[in-house]
Amino acid sequence: MTIKPLVLLPDPVLRQKSDPVERVDDEVRALADDLLETMYDAPGIGLAAIQTGIPRRLLVIDCSKEDEDKAPMVFINPAIVESSDERSVYEEGCLSIPDYYAEVERPAEVTVDYVDRDGKAQQITAEGLLATCLQHEIDHLNGVLFIDHISKLKRDMVVRKFTKLAKSRNLERL
Ligand code: GNR
Ligand code: NI
């Protein structure tokens, strides 16, 4: 088990479209375990493989509350097959955009086809925070970030701030 470094905005890696997982083998399961460990360490409630620089369609989620038992979930090749007309708004954050939060409106309920860590086809219908988190993570697999769902003015401000931060970090390194 390894905690992996996170890829941060504005790294173009986050805009890459991830490739399907061809076969659920021990290597894929080990990657899922690393993603879970990295997510819990952050801490966050979800993490997509691309956020650790690996462009594969694999993500992990744990939406359990602090006073509840851990509930790790692994989604391989997830696809939204149904979305409700009803919408819900959540204040979202992203481990690749630390300390920035904004309200995002998304379908309140989604049905997702996926493959589990045993390689078995599954389907889940989710609402509430899990529905939002699934959509946020599946967006990552397509190179989409939650800031793409807010106003261009706000987005440009965030991208500029993180671009400056990255430049100053690079200078410190020299
Ligand atoms: O930790 C996270 N919290 C969160 C809160 C509201 C909506 C989505 C999320 S996902 C985020 C972790 C992350 O960046 N996953 O890609
Ligand atoms: Ni994110």
Side-chain angles (χ1 to χ4, degrees):
M1 296 264 277
T2 319
I3 295 168
K4 293 172 174 284
L6 292 172
V7 175
L8 302 183
L9 190 75
D11 195 318
V13 165
L14 292 171
R15 295 309 191 176
Q16 248 178 268
K17 194 174 147 95
S18 295
D19 297 318
V21 173
E22 301 269 343
R23 215 171 69 97
V24 181
D25 52 17
D26 286 347
E27 183 224 319
V28 168
R29 278 185 284 272
L31 173 57
D33 289 342
D34 288 350
L35 291 176
L36 282 165
E37 194 181 11
T38 303
M39 177 188 76
Y40 286 126
D41 177 70
I45 60 170
L47 191 67
I50 192 65
Q51 291 178 276
T52 66
I54 299 168
R56 305 180 76 180
R57 302 188 82 80
L58 173 68
L59 61 90
V60 297
I61 290 179
D62 187 336
C63 282
S64 63
K65 304 202 184 80
E66 266 184 64
D67 59 340
E68 292 173 350
D69 288 342
K70 276 191 189 176
M73 306 176 85
V74 175
F75 296 88
I76 298 164
N77 299 340
I80 296 170
V81 295
E82 222 177 288
S83 305
S84 63
D85 292 329
E86 191 197 332
R87 306 274 139 169
S88 72
V89 175
Y90 270 92
E91 173 139 291
E92 296 196 18
C94 182
L95 294 174
S96 297
I97 314 174
D99 302 315
Y100 180 75
Y101 303 90
E103 288 192 336
V104 177
E105 186 183 295
R106 300 180 186 269
E109 188 180 283
V110 288
T111 299
V112 174
D113 281 352
Y114 67 100
V115 171
D116 68 16
R117 60 175 296 138
D118 300 317
K120 193 164 168 257
Q122 302 278 2
Q123 185 177 80
I124 188 173
T125 297
E127 50 158 36
L129 184 58
L130 179 58
T132 287
C133 196
L134 272 167
Q135 292 172 82
H136 175 116
E137 303 309 338
I138 292 169
D139 269 355
H140 274 302
L141 306 186
N142 297 320
V144 174
L145 301 171
F146 85 94
I147 54 171
D148 300 334
H149 299 292
I150 64 178
S151 73
K152 177 166 162 42
L153 184 74
K154 284 189 191 170
R155 180 169 59 254
D156 287 349
M157 274 173 40
V158 183
V159 172
R160 265 199 294 276
K161 185 183 151 192
F162 278 83
T163 303
K164 279 188 185 166
L165 265 169
K167 292 207 169 103
S168 66
R169 270 197 303 271
N170 282 336
L171 281 174
E172 274 173 39
R173 239 176 3 94
L174 293 177

